Amino acid sequence: MTPPIYQCALITGASSGLGAEFARQLAPISEELILVARRSELLDSLAAEIKKVTPHIKIHCLKSDLVDDDQRRQFIEAIHLMGLDPDLLVNNAGIGDYGDFVSADWQKTEMMIRLNMEVLTHITHALLPGMINKDGGGIINVSSLASILPIPDFAVYAATKAYVTSFSEALRIEMIEHGIKVLALCPGPVHTGFGQVAQRGEPTNVTPGGESVYVDAEQVVEEAVASIQMGKPRHYPGKKIALMAALMSSLPVWLLRKMMSRRPRRRAS
Ligand SMILES: NC(=O)c1ccc[n+]([C@@H]2O[C@H](COP(=O)([O-])OP(=O)(O)OC[C@H]3O[C@@H](n4cnc5c(N)ncnc54)[C@H](OP(=O)(O)O)[C@@H]3O)[C@@H](O)[C@H]2O)c1
């Protein structure tokens, strides 16, 4: 049996996609997991699945709509009341919205802004003092390849992820003296529940580059777990995505603008 690396790993948005995969892969190297999302029945069945493979692990499933201020505060209080003190935080919960900005539903846009930025920032702020007291820990902020690109029809999502990457890079520097590692994880497209939540009505378009640029959730999480242990500041999982990110980051802004304005538009239905 692999000895545990983390005493307690907290994963937001663990009910599906990358979050559920983080739970599966962190279980063998953690003593305790805290899983949070709104769909508690999915968290419970994930916990049962993990327990079959890793019987020693303690799993706490907490139902919370993290966008709701009261529920988020209660969630943070519950962690403290249970005496839990995570040394690994995976800020994974996030949603997207495909389509032009002007026709976006404001409630969905607001929810995306709050979940992708405010929730991630608040939970990090609430848990960091515990990590600092322990003299170590790790934070994986799930950002996106979109964080380095201004993307038409994905404008607000890309902007929220630009925040996540920038915040993670700065926080990483502040945390060096406390021995806390901070990773901005920047995946390209991955098959999860993300696309279904992001689309407006019927699916309307495909990702430029098609299936060949997709990376499996398993691989994304494997690379993330390795990267946080190595203390990497930022990681783009998958060789093609890493190459695309290196190319995009080296382009002058005028050329990037030209490329993005020629990108096929994803029209809402
Ligand atoms: N899939 C991709 O192509 C891709 C690419 C780059 C980055 N990402 C990022 O990866 C992260 C995970 O997304 P995913 O691809 O795994 O999509 P997903 O399968 O849709 O998972 C999203 C998770 O967020 C949770 N969530 C959503 N709203 C919530 C709320 N109000 N309160 C609590 N939890 C909430 C969902 O749980 P409940 O619905 O049960 O609450 C779910 O567990 C996101 O930050 C996303 O931006 C995804």
Side-chain angles (χ1 to χ4, degrees), residues 1-94:
M1 198 172 78
T2 327
I5 296 171
Y6 301 107
Q7 282 168 14
C8 179
L10 189 163
I11 303 155
T12 69
S15 60
S16 68
L18 293 176
E21 189 54 33
F22 267 109
R24 290 186 191 99
Q25 292 195 29
L26 287 171
I29 54 168
S30 308
E31 286 172 14
E32 240 168 321
L33 292 181
I34 305 171
L35 310 180
V36 58
R38 293 166 302 180
R39 289 170 294 173
S40 56
E41 65 291 352
L42 292 184
L43 295 180
D44 291 340
S45 58
L46 176 66
E49 174 202 319
I50 292 172
K51 280 247 176 210
K52 275 190 197 151
V53 187
T54 321
H56 74 272
I57 189 122
K58 275 194 207 153
I59 306 180
H60 310 271
C61 296
L62 299 178
K63 178 182 175 151
S64 176
D65 179 347
L66 293 170
V67 174
D68 182 281
D69 286 334
D70 291 338
Q71 291 192 39
R72 184 164 75 242
R73 287 211 171 83
Q74 280 161 15
F75 161 69
I76 292 168
E77 265 172 38
I79 295 173
H80 291 140
L81 284 173
M82 287 191 280
L84 300 170
D85 206 359
D87 54 354
L88 180 69
L89 167 62
V90 184
N91 277 313
N92 164 77

Side-chain angles (χ1 to χ4, degrees), residues 201-247:
E202 290 302 302
T204 46
N205 215 327
V206 290
T207 304
E211 276 299 315
S212 72
V213 296
Y214 277 79
V215 178
D216 288 346
E218 292 79 5
Q219 184 182 341
V220 170
V221 172
E222 264 169 39
E223 293 189 23
V225 172
S227 299
I228 187 82
Q229 285 168 29
M230 283 187 270
K232 276 182 82 171
R234 199 187 291 197
H235 185 69
Y236 299 91
K239 286 200 175 104
K240 269 191 195 166
I241 295 296
L243 186 64
M244 278 165 71
L247 283 172

Side-chain angles (χ1 to χ4, degrees), residues 12-20 36-43 64-68 71 91-96 98 111 115-116 119-120 141-146 154 157 160-161 185-198 214-215 217:
T12 69
S15 60
S16 68
L18 293 176
V36 58
R38 293 166 302 180
R39 289 170 294 173
S40 56
E41 65 291 352
L42 292 184
L43 295 180
S64 176
D65 179 347
L66 293 170
V67 174
D68 182 281
Q71 291 192 39
N91 277 313
N92 164 77
I95 59 166
Y98 297 139
M111 193 193 291
L115 183 64
N116 297 6
V119 167
L120 173 143
N141 285 333
V142 183
S143 183
S144 170
L145 175 66
F154 222 11
Y157 176 75
T160 64
K161 294 299 183 178
L185 177 70
C186 300
V190 188
H191 287 298
T192 62
F194 181 84
Q196 211 184 350
V197 174
Y214 277 79
V215 178

Side-chain angles (χ1 to χ4, degrees), residues 135-196:
D135 264 346
I139 300 173
I140 300 176
N141 285 333
V142 183
S143 183
S144 170
L145 175 66
S147 69
I148 57 168
L149 303 166
I151 308 180
D153 295 330
F154 222 11
V156 176
Y157 176 75
T160 64
K161 294 299 183 178
Y163 169 90
V164 174
T165 297
S166 171
F167 169 65
S168 307
E169 289 272 356
L171 184 66
R172 177 184 162 272
I173 297 169
E174 289 187 23
M175 288 302 120
I176 289 173
E177 63 181 294
H178 300 291
I180 296 167
K181 296 168 180 164
V182 182
L183 169 71
L185 177 70
C186 300
V190 188
H191 287 298
T192 62
F194 181 84
Q196 211 184 350

